[in-house]
Every structure is written in structure tokens, then in C-alpha cells.
Amino acid sequence: MSFLRKIFFKKKLTELDAATLFVLYITKEVEKEWPTIYKSLKDTFKENFVVEDESMATFDLVLAAIAQDLQAVKNLFPFEQAERIENWVLRLIANEDLGEYSVDEVKKYGKKFQKEVQSIESGGDPLSAIPGRLLHRWLGENIKNFKVELNGKKTGLISPILIMMVSQILMGFVGTWKRLKEEFKLVEGDSPLE
């Protein structure tokens, strides 16, 4: 009976409130975990791992984590609701000092991921799409330290070990939308998107 009660009598939460909780949760978790993440990457890759701007690196991780978990929204909610939720998230991150940058980056991460999903049959790799873009953001020109060489020639590929580490880091921040859906019935609310 408690299973049925849980399904039919979930607490209601507006999509805006859910998006707000999502953005705040990801931001706080990244800020809390960043020192450990950065230390681990520096310990593993030594002097080769040099971010261009540490405070911006934290912010870029927030954006990548937001983009990564937003991909699940398309699978968890009906199309129109998923669009509204994504628009709420974009509006919320647009309110920061770097609002235009934030929205643009989250969209670019999402497009890169979706492009790789669409080309999976011809070698597309959605699992490394967001980590690869994030590494370019973190390292800038220093990304050259992690380009794979075969027979003395650069391949243009980023070290699979580094990609796997960053994938694992991002996986630590996914699942928020799934938990919100399990816990609450998301409703449109009184503040329609314009």
C-alpha cells in the first residue's frame, strides 16, 4: 500500500522550484568537491595538469554538471515539460554575472552531447562529449599536454585516462532530476515562461 500511496500522493513541486533546487544543489556540491577534485587531478598528472583559471574552472564544472544532468530531463519527463524545465534552468543561470556565458556553455555542452548520440553508429562517443569540452575549458592551451601521440604523430584525441577521470567526476553530480521525479510530482506552477 505504501508503494501505491507514494505514486499517487507525491508532494507537488513547481518546475521553477525544482529547477532552482537543481541549480543550487549542483553549485553547492561542485564548490564543496572542487578542492578534492583538483588535487586528485594534479596528483595524478603532476605538472601537466594546469588549469588556466581555477575560479573559472570551478564555474565551468558547475556548467558541465548542469548540462550533463539536463540530458536526463529529456528521458524522464514528457517533451513539453522537459522543455519548460530546461528553459527554467537556463533562465536561472542567466541571472549570474556571467549569464550569457553560462547559458551559451550549457547549450554547447548539450549540443555536443546530442551530436555524439546521433552519430553513435558511426563512432560517436556521447560519454566523452561533455568531459572533452570541459577539459578544453579547464586547460586551454595546456590541453596539448594530453593529446595522444601514435608513432610520433599527434592524433588530436585527448588522453582516454584523463577523459575517464573527468567522466567519473561528472558522474558524481548526476541523478538530481531522477531523484526529484521520484520524490515529487512536478507541476507547471503559476509563473509561466515567456
Side-chain angles (χ1 to χ4, degrees):
M1 182 64 151
S2 66
F3 174 73
L4 290 176
R5 185 172 294 147
K6 189 173 182 179
I7 291 173
F8 292 109
F9 300 106
K10 286 183 183 178
K11 292 180 187 175
K12 290 182 182 176
L13 184 67
T14 67
E15 293 162 355
L16 171 58
D17 289 341
T20 303
L21 287 172
F22 168 70
V23 170
L24 288 173
Y25 175 77
I26 295 292
T27 303
K28 288 185 182 303
E29 285 300 301
V30 167
E31 288 173 353
K32 181 178 80 178
E33 296 298 326
W34 174 250
T36 304
I37 290 167
Y38 191 40
K39 182 181 182 323
S40 174
L41 290 165
K42 287 179 68 108
D43 288 350
T44 303
F45 298 105
K46 309 293 182 221
E47 67 278 350
N48 286 331
F49 196 88
V50 179
V51 297
E52 288 192 328
D53 178 341
E54 190 175 343
S55 65
M56 198 61 188
T58 308
F59 187 64
D60 281 321
L61 179 55
V62 168
L63 298 177
I66 285 171
Q68 179 97 12
D69 208 25
L70 267 180
Q71 300 312 303
V73 169
K74 296 167 182 71
N75 296 323
L76 292 169
F77 300 99
F79 178 79
E80 288 178 4
Q81 185 174 32
E83 275 196 337
R84 286 192 307 270
I85 290 169
E86 187 169 346
N87 285 329
W88 278 123
V89 170
L90 294 175
R91 280 182 80 180
L92 289 166
I93 64 173
N95 291 335
E96 300 295 322
D97 293 336
L98 297 169
E100 187 176 320
Y101 174 82
S102 303
V103 171
D104 191 46
E105 280 301 296
V106 169
K107 285 181 177 181
K108 285 179 179 175
Y109 282 119
K111 283 180 186 169
K112 178 84 171 141
F113 181 86
Q114 290 303 319
K115 179 182 173 193
E116 294 297 316
V117 167
Q118 297 302 318
S119 65
I120 206 161
E121 288 182 10
S122 60
D125 183 8
L127 296 179
S128 66
I130 293 175
R133 182 169 175 76
L134 176 59
L135 283 165
H136 278 281
R137 284 293 180 225
W138 279 350
L139 301 172
E141 290 296 317
N142 294 323
I143 196 77
K144 69 184 181 295
N145 297 332
F146 297 97
K147 294 289 180 154
V148 175
E149 284 187 34
L150 287 175
N151 299 325
K153 293 185 180 183
K154 296 276 185 185
T155 63
L157 300 174
I158 301 170
S159 161
I161 294 168
L162 181 57
I163 290 284
M164 285 187 337
M165 278 188 77
V166 175
S167 293
Q168 281 301 114
I169 289 165
L170 285 168
M171 290 307 291
F173 302 109
V174 299
T176 306
W177 283 110
K178 185 173 188 273
R179 288 189 299 276
L180 284 168
K181 183 176 182 180
E182 288 170 356
E183 193 76 24
F184 299 99
K185 177 179 173 72
L186 298 190
V187 295
E188 194 167 349
D190 295 332
S191 303
L193 283 170
E194 296 169 3

